[in-house]
Amino acid sequence: MYQECIMLLKERGVLVDDIAELTHWLQGPYRPDISLAACLKSVHAVLKKKDVQHALLTGISLDQLTEKKALPTMLQTILEQDQPLYGIDEILALGVANNFGTIAITNFGFLDRNKVGVLKKLDRGSEGDHVFLDDLVAAIAASAAARLAYR
């Protein structure tokens, strides 16, 4: 399932290297010596957790179903508009971050507010519906950064 998740991310325009760059951006101010390679290793460790894989499969599937207009009408409308009061995308992402402690949760909130790197591209939605994916990518990067912070 790990390789499947990496392929799904790539199909949606997200490389593992993109997530490592977000992780590096988060950790850099606190650990100037941190290498991009260490961040990449941490991202892979996060992606190997079953809970993370399940969240990715769920979120990406919902984004894909939104693009295909295959959801019940009310949910379809909510996701197409990415309505601000719909918070299930953040809840799914917080489930990922919660596996890695409070630092991951606060990192996620910071990234969710400050769309940088690949998150900015995903948030604009120019290449598909990414209601869930932008939050999940932020949570993975936040979690990888937390793993490094706790070490």
Side-chain angles (χ1 to χ4, degrees), residues 34-105:
I34 195 78
S35 69
L36 194 53
C39 294
L40 185 60
K41 184 176 179 180
S42 189
V43 169
H44 280 290
V46 170
L47 287 169
K48 287 181 179 174
K49 285 192 66 74
K50 286 289 182 210
D51 288 350
V52 175
Q53 294 166 7
H54 292 159
L56 271 173
L57 291 172
T58 301
I60 290 172
S61 294
L62 285 167
D63 285 346
Q64 290 170 328
L65 290 170
T66 301
E67 290 170 356
K68 294 176 183 173
K69 301 190 180 307
L71 295 169
T73 304
M74 191 174 296
L75 183 57
Q76 183 71 39
T77 300
I78 290 168
L79 293 180
E80 282 178 349
Q81 296 173 359
D82 197 2
Q83 292 182 0
L85 294 178
Y86 180 83
I88 305 305
D89 47 338
E90 280 86 6
I91 295 299
L92 189 60
L94 281 168
V96 168
N98 196 45
N99 286 294
F100 296 91
T102 54
I103 292 174
I105 293 168

